[in-house]
Amino acid sequence: MLKQATTDIEALKILDERLRWLSAWTIHHANHIRHSDNGLKVGGHQASCASMSAIMAALYFHALGPNDRVAVKPHAGPVLHAIHYLLGSQSREALEHFRGFGGAQSYPSRTKDRIPVDFSTGSVGLGVAITLFASLVQDYLSAHGWLNEAERGRFVALIGDAELDEGNIYEAIIEGAKHDVRNLWWIVDYNRQSLDATSADRMFERFDEIFRSCGWRVVELRYGKRLQAALDRHEDLKTWFEQLSNAELSALHYQGGGAWRARIEAELGTKAAPLLREHGDEALAGLFTDLGGHCMEALVEAFDSAQDDVPTLFIAWTIKGFGLPFAGHKDNHAGLMNPTQMAALRQSIGVREGHEWEPLEGIGSNALPGVESLIERSRFAREKRSRNFGNVALPAIPTPAGEEQSTQAAFGRILLDLSKAGGELADRVVTTSPDVTVSTNLGAWVNQRGLFRRSELPDVFAQAKIASAQKWSGGNKGQHIELGIAESNLFLMLAAAGLSGDLFGTRLFPIGTLYDPFIARGLDSLNYACYQDARFLLVATPSGITLGPEGGAHQSINPPLIALGQPGLRHYEPAFADELAAMMQEAFRLIDDPAGESTYLRLTTRSIRQVERENGDWREGALSGGYWLREPGDNAEAAIVAMGAVMPEALAAWEELRADVPGLGLLAVTSPDLLHRGWTAAQAARWNGQRDASHVERLLSRLAANAGLVTIADAAPASLSWLGGVLGQRVAPLGVEKFGQTGTLADLYAAYRLDGDAITEAVAELLLPA
Ligand SMILES: Cc1ncc(C[n+]2csc(CCOP(=O)(O)OP(=O)(O)O)c2C)c(N)n1
Ligand SMILES: [Mg+2]
């Protein structure tokens, strides 16, 4: 945007006030005016909004360009809605339904809000860090020729000061430093208060050191212009002011001018007499609340002087609840103004009763044209973008050859073959891994496609002719983003790359790999990625006690249950390489389909004999969650239901038992997640008059009504035991319920009851009369 004339500062100040009013009013309306039929508190954060209104006015009506993307601190959501209300992209109706069904969401949501939300926020820390990875994705797209210089932007995070306690932020800046990340503005609303209390003084001194050592510029916006001038004139006052603790400052802001005066008189005596003489109580309070984050001149100047691409942390001093009656009070986080206080605020800014929603109500005719033209100029920048789906031709994914294969090795082969075959999909795949690229079988792909680096990174070992299977040189055409061991970063990287179609108009096909147990380390970030509807393929391998000698610390147990409860993520667990190929093809389709989702593949290093197929009938069932690997007889009394790595045990047991148990079937489950979803969806649909049975109901209805199911998976048995509830059949669940340990597969399968004997015993248990 063009530099603003000085008169715009006045318009920006009016907009700041307007945002503070509209955000407070939106929250007030939801809590005090909208009809409530259950007395449930609606809530909202007037104080957290008030401390950011100036910063956000300066950004959205001055500093942001059309390609810039912003993650807004969750509790300032109403300010973002107010901005879009002024811009004309938010409706009064949505604001009137703030925190109500179908209304503006409490925290900015990409998927549920009608305004363009660049990044959803809510779980503090994650919105901050995703901007860093989005910037990395922007560099990736530029380097690959998918983004013009004119389409590049800056990534802005608006951060609460207490939010800086979240460790994921530091994991992100360490990773960012390795990748020479740029075009970031992180703006801290340093209001010295968290949810519970005022925040610790000691730590804040250190944040700038931490950021600087990661290559950031730190700009501290302590004082507004007026306060700065006053402190410059009174050296003693400045020294005194700067030694106030967070709690003392907040308390004084709350108490107001009289308290400032009494305290200064008591502690500085005659040294401050001239200043006290010049200022009445109200003026004194006004002077000390003129902090950097509330001073439009200071904000505009700071933003205007950071126009290069160096990542910049702005620490803007603010007051929580600025301009509101509970400003500075330590308990104000969820504080709500009462109707009398709201009326006083309304009057103070010249809004007539009954005209509260009018965007520019009460703005004098002198100022109005300036305000209107500023809004007009800012509008173009904030349109909602199309999400860019369906533009990539997706080839069939062939099954790798081999009578014996593990799903993990097959995954590596499939990617290698895809790379060799070339084509648009192969070019759009971007892989990433937190230091387990080699051990998750991505090495061959990386040998082919290279590491992504903005500047050329020679492979020193290769140049020195030291033999190695991994030939990893880096450059700006590379397609693998190597991350340090921080699983939260992996998921944020996948989130950002999985939003590339939305953010940049070019869809990528991100694939991330990690060990299955370490999903838990980044779980909130994974949930965050799914919450925003980012699209990616997550490959978790190895998994389960099938990992044998690696022992209990690396053997995963519960991820299938995590996946069962995770919206936006489809779990597939193949036993055979052909299933895996079909699932990967489906995962790519789901990435590029508006109604799709992300996919989680749980794989293993166990090499098993592949099955012979008579035809391709299994495929549709495998993609829907399961299929009969060995067909049951009509009204069979029992079936073995198995998933993933333990399929050889299930097949062997089936062979052994089939003579004794006529009609015994073997059901291969490929996705408990999909089976469960289909089951509940069919139940819900029946209430709408639809009679279609779900896939799992059709599969299980092949068996007798009182049939017994022996379920088995190298995972928590609850992953499959619920199948008994579908048609009321009996279940003997086998699986892993205790931490694993080292051992051979035979040792462990026997000890944890995942072997043929366990299956045989469980079948007998179900069939023998009690
Ligand atoms: C991961 C996570 N933990 C806890 C919360 C609950 N919570 C919401 S806001 C907040 C304190 C925020 O303080 P600060 O970041 O300083 O924001 P502000 O003062 O601007 O409201 C907490 C603990 C959350 N939203 N996310
Ligand atoms: Mg705070």
Side-chain angles (χ1 to χ4, degrees):
M1 223 185 288
L2 290 174
K3 279 273 164 60
Q4 312 295 300
T6 44
T7 50
D8 279 349
I9 292 284
E10 294 314 312
L12 284 168
K13 287 181 183 174
I14 292 171
L15 287 167
D16 161 21
E17 191 178 74
R18 198 51 43 163
L19 295 179
R20 213 169 333 123
W21 160 254
L22 280 171
S23 54
W25 175 250
T26 302
I27 296 166
H28 181 76
H29 182 275
N31 284 277
H32 290 279
I33 298 177
R34 192 168 73 214
H35 172 71
S36 155
D37 46 22
N38 55 11
L40 202 68
K41 171 178 167 266
V42 178
H45 303 86
Q46 290 172 330
S48 306
C49 289
S51 77
M52 280 227 114
S53 57
I55 295 171
M56 289 177 73
L59 277 176
Y60 282 84
F61 297 103
H62 173 74
L64 290 184
N67 302 320
D68 296 347
R69 299 280 174 269
V70 190
V72 176
K73 170 187 94 165
H75 301 76
V79 182
L80 184 66
H81 289 290
I83 288 169
H84 282 281
Y85 186 57
L86 294 179
L87 292 173
S89 35
Q90 179 57 295
S91 70
R92 173 169 164 180
E93 198 192 355
L95 296 188
E96 285 176 341
H97 285 89
F98 173 63
R99 291 185 167 231
F101 192 65
Q105 301 295 296
S106 10
Y107 310 116
S109 163
R110 288 184 56 80
T111 55
K112 294 287 188 295
D113 275 317
R114 53 176 277 163
I115 58 168
V117 171
D118 301 325
F119 303 100
S120 302
T121 51
S123 177
V124 299
L126 300 181
V128 181
I130 194 176
T131 60
L132 183 146
F133 292 99
S135 178
L136 199 55
V137 172
Q138 171 170 271
D139 281 339
Y140 182 92
L141 291 171
S142 294
H144 286 78
W146 284 315
L147 201 66
N148 300 325
E149 199 52 39
E151 294 167 321
R152 290 170 57 83
R154 181 176 284 132
F155 296 84
V156 182
L158 303 178
I159 314 174
D161 53 334
E163 192 166 7
L164 280 179
D165 285 336
E166 284 290 359
N168 81 273
I169 291 179
Y170 305 96
E171 293 184 353
I173 61 174
I174 290 168
E175 192 62 53
K178 293 184 209 160
H179 290 274
D180 202 10
V181 75
R182 49 193 178 148
N183 294 308
L184 287 167
W185 278 4
W186 286 3
I187 305 168
V188 182
D189 173 1
Y190 183 30
N191 62 24
R192 298 146 200 275
Q193 288 180 239
S194 59
L195 190 158
D196 282 339
T198 50
S199 36
D201 294 278
R202 262 154 298 151
M203 198 51 218
F204 227 85
E205 313 279 304
R206 313 261 161 82
F207 286 125
D208 47 358
E209 292 167 30
I210 297 173
F211 275 81
R212 282 200 181 98
S213 67
C214 286
W216 286 61
R217 167 173 55 212
V218 179
V219 176
E220 203 176 353
L221 282 160
R222 283 194 181 200
Y223 308 126
K225 296 287 176 190
R226 274 188 310 129
L227 181 56
Q228 181 74 62
L231 295 179
D232 286 349
R233 264 185 281 124
H234 301 277
E235 195 55 42
D236 294 327
L237 185 72
K238 186 170 185 198
T239 313
W240 173 81
F241 186 84
E242 295 196 334
Q243 54 77 45
L244 290 173
S245 70
N246 284 348
E248 285 171 314
L249 251 180
S250 295
L252 283 168
H253 285 313
Y254 176 70
Q255 291 169 301
W260 282 105
R261 181 179 305 279
R263 185 83 190 259
I264 293 172
E265 271 171 354
E267 294 183 19
L268 287 178
T270 52
K271 288 186 201 155
L275 178 103
L276 295 182
R277 257 197 315 275
E278 289 160 25
H279 293 79
D281 281 359
E282 205 172 312
L284 207 54
L287 181 66
F288 285 115
T289 51
D290 183 36
L291 300 181
H294 300 307
C295 173
M296 201 51 77
E297 288 88 348
L299 285 164
V300 164
E301 194 177 286
F303 293 152
D304 286 352
S305 1
Q307 292 303 321
D308 55 14
D309 65 7
V310 178
T312 303
L313 179 77
F314 296 92
I315 302 177
W317 283 28
T318 57
I319 298 162
K320 192 154 171 171
F322 179 75
L324 310 185
F326 42 53
H329 196 293
K330 70 181 178 58
D331 304 337
N332 68 9
H333 183 73
L336 296 174
M337 281 181 276
N338 64 33
T340 314
Q341 292 169 323
M342 267 317 276
L345 179 67
R346 177 175 59 69
Q347 279 158 6
S348 74
I349 60 165
V351 171
R352 287 167 298 164
E353 192 170 7
H355 296 257
E356 292 87 350
W357 287 116
E358 271 161 47
L360 304 179
E361 159 74 7
I363 298 176
S365 53
N366 281 348
L368 197 57
V371 171
E372 282 174 334
S373 98
L374 196 51
I375 292 175
E376 200 49 47
R377 271 180 283 156
S378 310
R379 182 167 293 139
F380 75 97
R382 316 277 12 128
E383 310 265 298
K384 200 157 184 155
R385 305 206 153 189
S386 95
R387 302 193 56 198
N388 197 285
F389 282 109
N391 293 322
V392 181
L394 299 178
I397 302 291
T399 302
E403 278 179 24
E404 296 237 345
Q405 299 190 56
S406 73
T407 48
Q408 175 172 316
F411 163 68
R413 271 299 301 275
I414 288 172
L415 274 190
L416 177 62
D417 292 346
L418 181 69
S419 175
K420 286 184 176 160
E424 194 171 8
L425 174 64
D427 292 344
R428 297 268 190 131
V429 165
V430 53
T431 54
T432 183
S433 184
D435 201 23
V436 288
T437 299
V438 175
S439 46
T440 56
N441 273 49
L442 269 179
W445 159 266
V446 181
N447 282 348
Q448 285 260 315
R449 295 274 164 164
L451 292 179
F452 171 67
R453 286 281 168 178
R454 277 207 291 123
S455 45
E456 295 302 310
L457 180 79
D459 182 340
V460 172
F461 279 73
Q463 284 178 340
K465 301 203 163 36
I466 300 171
S468 163
Q470 318 300 335
K471 294 172 190 61
W472 288 8
S473 53
N476 65 7
K477 291 287 178 277
Q479 285 180 249
H480 179 71
I481 301 180
E482 178 73 359
L483 300 173
I485 330 169
E487 286 72 18
S488 172
N489 281 342
L490 169 75
F491 292 118
L492 292 170
M493 182 75 239
L494 289 174
L499 290 175
S500 67
D502 309 50
L503 294 171
F504 306 103
T506 298
R507 191 148 290 280
L508 291 172
F509 291 75
I511 301 177
T513 66
L514 87 170
Y515 296 173
D516 197 49
F518 304 136
I519 287 178
R521 179 70 81 100
L523 204 47
D524 196 26
S525 303
L526 170 62
N527 179 59
Y528 180 67
C530 296
Y531 180 66
Q532 324 219 26
D533 198 20
R535 301 294 178 77
F536 52 86
L537 169 57
L538 174 66
V539 178
T541 185
S543 63
I545 62 168
T546 302
L547 195 48
E550 275 286 300
H554 284 63
Q555 293 165 346
S556 66
I557 298 170
N558 67 2
L561 293 182
I562 292 172
L564 205 48
Q566 178 62 58
L569 187 70
R570 175 180 298 196
H571 168 208
Y572 278 133
E573 187 151 343
F576 304 110
D578 55 1
E579 294 172 358
L580 173 69
M583 289 165 184
M584 287 179 68
Q585 191 173 327
E586 181 69 354
F588 291 133
R589 188 189 71 72
L590 291 166
I591 286 174
D592 203 26
D593 178 351
E597 60 184 331
S598 291
T599 301
Y600 152 52
L601 289 172
R602 188 170 187 255
L603 308 184
T604 163
T605 42
R606 183 183 189 193
S607 192
I608 65 169
R609 175 158 292 279
Q610 302 295 296
V611 277
E612 281 173 25
R613 308 281 192 191
E614 284 165 16
N615 53 44
D617 291 355
W618 59 273
R619 188 183 166 100
E620 197 185 329
L623 292 180
S624 306
Y627 65 97
W628 286 106
L629 184 58
R630 296 289 179 258
E631 295 283 337
D634 283 344
N635 276 321
E637 292 297 315
I640 300 169
V641 180
M643 175 166 80
V646 291
M647 202 56 78
E649 282 62 34
L651 274 165
W654 180 84
E655 284 292 348
E656 197 180 306
L657 290 168
R658 59 197 275 216
D660 297 335
V661 185
L664 180 73
L666 170 53
L667 182 63
V669 170
T670 51
S671 175
D673 182 22
L674 279 186
L675 293 181
H676 198 286
R677 285 195 231 173
W679 176 39
T680 51
Q683 282 179 334
R686 282 202 268 280
W687 288 95
N688 296 325
Q690 290 164 28
R691 294 264 149 243
D692 290 348
S694 62
H695 184 57
V696 68
E697 287 166 313
R698 282 194 299 271
L699 287 169
L700 294 177
S701 63
R702 301 273 304 275
L703 308 174
N706 64 346
L709 310 174
V710 173
T711 62
I712 179 165
D714 183 358
S719 316
L720 297 177
S721 60
W722 62 269
L723 286 165
V726 175
L727 298 180
Q729 289 153 336
R730 290 164 306 133
V731 176
L734 300 174
V736 182
E737 282 176 305
K738 297 200 172 76
F739 287 118
Q741 57 189 299
T742 54
T744 65
L745 275 197
D747 296 335
L748 294 174
Y749 281 6
Y752 289 78
R753 296 195 78 230
L754 290 183
D755 61 358
D757 286 350
I759 297 174
T760 310
E761 287 163 18
V763 170
E765 176 86 16
L766 285 169
L767 295 184
L768 294 176

